[in-house]
């Protein structure tokens, strides 16, 4: 009996430690990606106010805009990769459900988007698999929602608005271009460190040559794999969807959650994420390092249960940038 009590105590201790570690992980993520205080503390208001406050007060976005305007080295490389990404042309896309376009337009109008980086449109794509994603267009970006998500049991206008807001965040915060820029900066830093090591010894140079990734420019391999749109009755169609870092995925969730808060319905955001959860384990895409739906839900729950935890600390971090 004594051994049983000891075993139970050890299990309980491990469980507490795991929970603490998760809290620590989520706190660190929040410190990197949390929204400005002006947006976090926004009272229920007009959707347009939310988006304008978001882009006007995001110091990280302003710093990025300043850096990318240099158009040298990493900035030029990022813009070239961004320009090479395939674009979405709704007018010529045969999978856009045009009969649903009036409804799509009305939904987008209620969600809104920043005047400086507006969403070009919202489109429903004929696809039985429930999904939502942001696509690049010639002028900016657009949001796509599959009919499999639209007609999923339990879907409401409010839940769709939460999902749309999350996708607009990717476009409004220029996540795709920032992803390429961060990648280019990281690659240059690796080259600098590698060059220094090579200058020290031949052994170090050999070690670097062995460990250097061959495909650093495209760490995800085929960028479309995670964004396949499977048309019922036909072969999978590859849509020109964007790619993001794990932090950008969490940041977009925060925007979606804070947007719903600004509408007085923040508690609905977790329910919106549940709509996107795979119905069968076989529907899971290959592991890419991105947070899955369960992790994203836990993150938002953590943020919701700690509403004031970053009011001072995150603002101090932003002022230092």
């Amino acid at each position: 009996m004594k051994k049983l009590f000891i075993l139970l105590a050890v299990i309980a201790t491990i469980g507490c430690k795991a929970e603490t570690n998760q809290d620590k992980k989520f706190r660190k993520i929040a410190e990197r990606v949390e929204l400005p205080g002006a947006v976090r503390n926004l009272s229920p208001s007009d959707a347009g106010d939310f988006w304008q406050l978001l882009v006007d007060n995001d110091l990280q976005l302003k710093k990025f805009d300043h850096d990318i305007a240099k158009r040298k080295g990493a900035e030029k490389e990022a813009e070239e990769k961004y320009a090479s990404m395939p674009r979405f042309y709704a007018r010529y896309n045969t999978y856009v459900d045009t009969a649903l376009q009036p409804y799509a337009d009305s939904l987008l109008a209620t969600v809104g988007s920043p005047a400086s980086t507006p969403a070009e449109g919202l489109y429903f794509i004929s696809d039985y698999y429930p999904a939502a994603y942001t696509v690049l267009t010639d002028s900016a970006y657009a949001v796509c929602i599959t009919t499999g998500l639209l007609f999923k049991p339990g879907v409401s206008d409010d839940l769709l608005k939460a999902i749309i807001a999350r996708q607009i965040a990717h476009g409004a915060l220029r996540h795709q271009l920032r992803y390429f820029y961060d990648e280019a900066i990281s690659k240059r830093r690796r080259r600098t460190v590698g060059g220094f090591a090579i200058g020290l010894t031949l052994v170090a140079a050999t070690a670097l040559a062995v460990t250097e990734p061959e495909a650093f420019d495209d760490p995800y391999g085929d960028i479309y794999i995670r964004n396949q749109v499977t048309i019922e009755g036909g072969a999978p169609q590859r849509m020109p969807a964007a790619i993001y870092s794990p932090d950008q995925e969490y940041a977009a969730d925060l925007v979606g959650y804070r947007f719903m808060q600004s509408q007085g319905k923040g508690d609905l955001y977790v329910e919106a994420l549940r709509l996107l959860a795979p119905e069968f384990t076989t529907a899971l895409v290959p592991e890419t390092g991105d947070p899955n739906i369960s992790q994203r839900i836990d993150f938002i729950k953590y943020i919701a249960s700690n509403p004031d935890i970053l009011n001072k600390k995150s603002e101090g971090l932003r002022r230092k940038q």
Side-chain angles (χ1 to χ4, degrees), residues 23-210:
D23 286 350
K24 185 183 296 184
K25 170 187 173 183
F26 286 157
R27 176 192 286 270
K28 289 181 178 179
I29 293 172
E31 288 173 358
R32 295 194 301 267
V33 306
E34 179 59 288
L35 278 59
V39 182
R40 293 200 309 274
N41 302 319
L42 186 65
S43 300
S45 63
D46 180 78
D49 293 340
F50 173 88
W51 294 112
Q52 200 58 49
L53 282 170
L54 177 66
V55 297
D56 286 350
N57 290 276
D58 192 323
L59 300 185
Q60 292 181 2
L61 178 60
K62 290 182 181 299
K63 181 181 184 302
F64 168 76
D65 288 339
H66 177 268
D67 290 344
I68 202 71
K70 299 174 184 176
R71 289 179 171 79
K72 299 178 180 178
E75 297 82 18
K76 184 178 180 181
E77 179 179 336
E79 289 196 319
E80 287 176 350
K81 294 192 72 171
Y82 182 80
S84 70
M85 289 287 287
R87 262 51 179 179
F88 175 80
Y89 301 101
R91 181 178 178 182
Y92 306 109
N93 191 300
T94 58
Y95 300 107
V96 171
D97 193 326
T98 55
L100 293 170
Q101 199 54 49
Y103 177 49
D105 293 341
S106 66
L107 273 178
L108 183 59
T110 58
V111 175
S113 58
S116 57
T117 49
E120 184 175 302
L122 168 67
Y123 303 98
F124 289 112
I125 304 296
S126 297
D127 172 20
Y128 60 82
Y129 186 77
Y133 43 90
T134 304
V135 292
L136 302 179
T137 64
D138 278 345
S139 59
Y141 63 96
V143 176
C144 291
I145 292 178
T146 64
T147 51
L149 177 58
L150 174 63
F151 298 123
K152 194 171 185 178
V155 170
S156 66
D157 283 3
D158 282 333
L159 295 181
L160 287 174
K161 290 174 187 176
I163 293 170
I164 294 167
R166 181 188 193 280
Q167 298 305 321
I168 288 175
H170 280 313
L173 299 179
R174 309 178 73 186
H175 278 172
Q176 179 63 93
L177 182 57
R178 291 170 73 174
Y179 173 89
F180 286 142
Y181 181 59
D182 290 343
E183 182 188 51
I185 291 292
S186 179
K187 183 168 61 176
R188 278 162 171 72
R189 286 174 179 168
R190 289 167 63 91
R191 286 175 177 170
T192 299
V193 173
F196 178 73
I198 290 172
L200 290 178
T201 65
L202 180 59
V203 174
T206 303
L208 284 170
V210 171

Side-chain angles (χ1 to χ4, degrees), residues 39-40 42-45 50 158-159 161-163 165 253-274 296-297 299-305:
V39 182
R40 293 200 309 274
L42 186 65
S43 300
S45 63
F50 173 88
D158 282 333
L159 295 181
K161 290 174 187 176
I163 293 170
D253 277 326
L254 271 174
V255 173
Y257 170 63
R258 297 301 187 193
F259 174 82
M260 294 306 292
Q261 270 192 323
S262 75
Q263 305 300 295
K265 302 175 181 179
D267 58 319
L268 291 180
Y269 190 73
V270 166
E271 194 63 29
L273 286 179
R274 288 175 178 146
R296 289 164 54 191
I297 287 174
F299 177 63
I300 293 300
K301 285 182 176 179
Y302 171 80
I303 294 296
S305 62

